Amino acid sequence: MAGYRVHEYDVLVVGAGGAGLRAAIAAAQEGARTAIVCKTLLGKAHTVMAEGGVAAALATVDSEDNWRVHFRDTMRGGKLINDWRMAMIHAQEAPDRVLELEEWGAVFDRTADGRILQRPFGGHRYARLAHVGDRTGLELVRTLQQKALSLGIDVFMETSIVRILKDSQRVAGALGFRRDTGELLVFRAKAVVLATGGIGKCYKVTSNSWEYTGDGQALAFWAGAELMDMEFVQFHPTGMVWPPSVRGVLVTEAVRGEGGVLLNSRGERFMFHYIPDYYRAETAETPQEADRWYHDKRNNRRPPELLPRDVVARAINAEIKAGRGSPHGGVYLDIASRRSPKEIKHLLPSMYEQFAKLADVDITKEPMEVGPTMHYMMGGIRVDPETAATSVPGLYAAGEVACGLHGANRLGGNSLSDLLVFGRRAGIYAARYANSLPQAPTFSGDEVETAANELIEPLHRADGENPFALQAELQETMQNLVGIVRTGDELKEALHKIQELKDRTKRVAAVGDVIYNPGWHMAISLGPLLVVAEAIALSALERRESRGAHTRDDYPKEDPHQASFNLVVSADLQGRPQLRKEPRPEMPQELKKILEEV
């Protein structure tokens, strides 16, 4: 096509984090011509920020562990609203995916007898997280990148995808642009795998990096796919609140997994006051019991600091609101009194180095000030649990951009095994779909022209709305009205504000040209940010209960009836979001028995 650089592939993978890399490897191994498009440089994906470990029932530390216990923990952590088939596949296949990484060169920490070492994490019954110190995500990405490049997979770095192109109802490719030069790129592809991650940059305080603007969710929505469980936004309990240079930066759960404790301004281990009845039988109920667990993890109940993230985040929020918080609006996380400096530097090297350099905080000598930070999106693109296929033929999704596995709340460590298990499945089935087509689908040149014109429209406005100001207003709206605790009135106010921002975005202007223009890039990102923000607020308003990461102050209890459905968002004929309740499939009796096991 004149004026565009055109590339042809069987499978196009959008995103180069763990899910995208694993999908590309699987597609290439199936014989598909495969390419990866990533928004930033290769190796800088958000997966590297997953520090604590990858959850898999290897049973190298606790011999009692197995897929059944992992399945039960995942379902219970997700408040039983998870896709049970995804949870079962994940628990069964995660060990093989970790051992596969080891075969490809991943270097895990080791037990004394040479097996993969595993650490405890919140919501997991046993020590289940295989890890590389607190740099597990980095090692995972390094290993997958080397494997992908060895297979000759093409990589387009610093390239954003802005539209999925279609041939009638099926995928035919994608339109994108190079962020450094503004050059438009057209990808002809029989199948597209979305692995773009999360939506954190629609919130003010987040552990997410700049790339997380909901691109994949919006691309799927605009292409006709469905979003589901969008009300379930995870606020990680421990993001730094002070100093300002590291506000929102994640303090990995591994700090608590290695013995760190949460204290309020009175010096109290307050988590003992917030143990739900659901977990009381297996959780330490006194500091003395918790200390015994610290010294002998196999034979004692776990400390309350390792309850699921939604429980810990709400407890911290409650302490702060009750006036028992730290001077800068958080609580204290203390590892210094629990481990020696030598142990901390060995077990948590990234945490030690990061805060020493960026915040002048020595975690071997003083506690950290922490509080909830928007961290992970349980909701996302609705996919088939077996194939990772969306409702649009030829479109697949895996990793954080997809939904189903985690239900109402993700357990720590499940994100890395999720992207390995379902990234592989997405790549396999995308390649098989592509290989089954006798010829490549085609798309209209008019479709490309229309999308390209929309893309560059902000650059043609001499005057208009400032894209950064609009994003800041959206972040304030989401942080204050659709945050960790919600009410119906505030959600209605948020939806009104989001609609106003959508109208104003039609007048957004970007100064300059297409070369390295962050204002233009933000103007483009506003569309996806507003799609996901509206879907979150709509779903949160409809779910009139508190479940997992979704907390309604006006509906503070779980409603058993509402566990029977998921909320699905799709586009109507005018492209506006519409909401419906989707009954959850009945769980087989043999899996129900697993959930009842002690």
Side-chain angles (χ1 to χ4, degrees):
M1 294 177 61
Y4 303 93
R5 189 182 295 271
V6 181
H7 302 273
E8 286 199 40
Y9 294 96
D10 296 320
V11 176
L12 180 70
V13 179
V14 185
L21 289 168
R22 191 62 190 86
I25 291 167
Q29 289 176 331
E30 288 286 316
R33 293 172 300 154
T34 305
I36 297 171
V37 175
C38 55
K39 201 170 176 180
T40 184
L41 297 173
L42 195 63
K44 294 183 69 66
H46 208 272
T47 302
V48 303
M49 297 178 72
E51 298 155 321
V54 50
L58 295 167
T60 57
V61 171
D62 284 300
S63 59
E64 300 92 341
D65 200 10
N66 56 62
W67 78 263
R68 296 161 66 90
V69 184
H70 193 181
F71 167 80
R72 185 174 74 241
D73 290 346
T74 299
M75 292 296 299
R76 284 175 56 176
K79 303 301 181 185
L80 306 181
I81 206 165
N82 327 52
D83 184 308
W84 59 261
R85 179 62 180 149
M86 289 185 80
M88 184 180 76
I89 291 171
H90 168 255
Q92 290 175 335
E93 295 187 4
D96 286 343
R97 301 286 73 78
V98 172
L99 295 175
E100 187 175 60
L101 276 183
E102 185 181 38
E103 292 173 7
W104 293 348
V107 181
F108 290 99
D109 287 359
R110 296 286 163 178
T111 62
D113 59 356
R115 295 182 295 170
I116 294 176
L117 182 62
Q118 297 184 274
R119 63 164 46 118
F121 241 54
H124 292 280
R125 175 68 176 171
Y126 297 114
R128 187 178 288 143
L129 270 73
H131 59 278
V132 186
D134 57 356
R135 296 170 172 162
T136 312
L138 181 64
E139 180 68 3
L140 185 148
V141 166
R142 180 196 67 79
T143 304
L144 292 177
Q145 275 183 186
Q146 289 186 345
K147 183 67 175 179
L149 295 177
S150 74
L151 294 172
I153 295 169
D154 290 343
V155 180
F156 296 82
M157 292 188 282
E158 293 191 291
T159 300
S160 287
I161 297 297
V162 295
R163 286 292 186 278
I164 300 298
L165 302 174
K166 294 172 68 178
D167 179 358
S168 184
Q169 296 304 310
R170 63 180 178 174
V171 164
L175 172 68
F177 71 98
R178 289 186 56 88
R179 299 177 69 86
D180 54 349
T181 66
E183 178 187 15
L184 292 175
L185 302 176
V186 170
F187 295 92
R188 295 186 185 275
K190 297 177 181 178
V192 173
V193 177
L194 295 173
T196 56
I199 56 88
K201 297 312 287 184
C202 68
Y203 282 88
K204 184 177 179 180
V205 180
T206 178
S207 65
N208 293 179
S209 57
W210 64 269
E211 303 99 323
Y212 267 29
T213 52
D215 296 2
Q217 292 88 342
L219 288 170
F221 176 82
W222 292 329
E226 297 170 327
L227 307 178
M228 189 171 80
D229 292 345
M230 294 296 286
E231 66 270 36
F232 298 120
V233 179
Q234 183 176 79
F235 289 80
H236 194 288
T238 54
M240 290 290 279
V241 300
W242 189 262
S245 60
V246 289
R247 183 184 184 191
V249 173
L250 187 69
V251 180
T252 174
E253 200 164 324
V255 175
R256 286 172 282 139
E258 297 297 346
V261 296
L262 290 167
L263 307 171
N264 61 22
S265 59
R266 301 174 181 174
E268 299 169 331
R269 284 185 70 180
F270 58 85
M271 281 307 305
F272 288 99
H273 305 306
Y274 296 94
I275 303 171
D277 292 339
Y278 203 58
Y279 291 99
R280 197 165 289 280
E282 57 193 53
T283 305
E285 296 189 46
T286 68
Q288 292 75 23
E289 279 186 324
D291 285 340
R292 285 197 295 272
W293 177 93
Y294 170 68
H295 293 293
D296 184 3
K297 295 177 182 179
R298 288 180 56 83
N299 298 321
N300 291 280
R301 292 180 287 181
R302 61 190 171 187
E305 282 86 0
L306 290 182
L307 284 164
R309 289 175 175 177
D310 61 318
V311 177
V312 181
R314 282 197 299 273
I316 292 174
N317 191 64
E319 288 293 304
I320 296 168
K321 284 192 170 183
R324 297 187 290 270
S326 66
H328 302 101
V331 296
Y332 296 106
L333 174 57
D334 175 29
I335 186 70
S337 68
R338 315 290 293 179
R339 292 278 195 178
S340 70
K342 182 179 179 181
E343 287 177 315
I344 293 171
K345 292 176 184 178
H346 170 68
L347 295 167
L348 304 162
S350 291
M351 289 291 99
Y352 171 75
E353 293 172 12
Q354 176 173 276
F355 294 121
K357 292 177 180 177
L358 300 180
D360 197 26
V361 173
D362 186 345
I363 68 171
T364 69
K365 296 179 180 179
E366 58 186 306
M368 294 162 271
E369 285 191 61
V370 300
T373 180
M374 188 276 141
H375 180 56
Y376 191 90
M377 185 63 179
M378 275 76 67
I381 304 168
R382 188 184 188 189
V383 294
D384 177 76
E386 303 280 348
T387 65
T390 73
S391 56
V392 177
L395 186 61
Y396 298 77
E400 188 176 355
V401 75
C403 78
L405 170 61
H406 307 295
N409 180 56
R410 176 179 68 83
L411 299 186
N414 271 359
S415 59
L416 290 186
S417 42
D418 170 16
L419 59 83
L420 292 172
V421 169
F422 295 104
R424 172 180 173 270
R425 283 180 169 260
I428 288 173
Y429 287 100
R432 291 179 183 176
Y433 170 84
N435 293 338
S436 72
L437 298 180
Q439 60 185 27
T442 59
F443 47 79
S444 164
D446 291 341
E447 182 183 4
V448 175
E449 290 288 344
T450 300
N453 287 334
E454 290 177 4
L455 186 66
I456 62 174
E457 195 172 328
L459 294 168
H460 292 163
R461 291 195 182 98
D463 189 28
E465 295 276 1
N466 183 311
F468 295 107
L470 292 177
Q471 186 204 18
E473 289 188 43
L474 176 63
Q475 289 178 325
E476 288 284 351
T477 298
M478 295 298 288
Q479 191 75 32
N480 297 332
L481 304 178
V482 199
I484 192 169
V485 178
R486 304 155 175 178
T487 67
D489 289 343
E490 289 179 342
L491 291 168
K492 291 174 184 176
E493 183 183 346
L495 285 167
H496 176 76
K497 180 65 175 177
I498 289 167
Q499 184 57 56
E500 176 189 307
L501 289 170
K502 286 171 68 177
D503 294 338
R504 291 168 62 190
T505 298
K506 296 173 184 176
R507 303 187 297 275
V508 70
V511 178
D513 59 21
V514 297
I515 299 174
Y516 282 119
N517 187 335
W520 181 44
H521 299 165
M522 178 50 65
I524 294 167
S525 294
L526 286 173
L529 284 168
L530 288 162
V531 166
V532 296
E534 187 170 20
I536 292 167
L538 275 172
S539 302
L541 181 62
E542 180 62 31
R543 185 167 289 281
R544 297 178 180 91
E545 64 165 347
S546 292
R547 180 177 297 274
H550 170 67
T551 301
R552 287 281 298 265
D553 221 13
D554 44 356
Y555 294 94
K557 296 182 179 180
E558 281 187 21
D559 178 355
H561 168 70
Q562 296 197 40
S564 65
F565 62 80
N566 298 91
L567 295 175
V568 176
V569 179
S570 58
D572 64 15
L573 294 176
Q574 285 74 43
R576 297 170 303 196
Q578 57 184 0
L579 194 69
R580 75 173 191 276
K581 295 178 180 178
E582 185 78 15
R584 296 183 62 250
E586 183 71 17
M587 184 185 296
Q589 195 61 37
E590 58 268 26
L591 293 183
K592 289 182 180 179
K593 290 180 180 178
I594 292 175
L595 293 180
E596 296 166 1
E597 292 175 2
V598 177

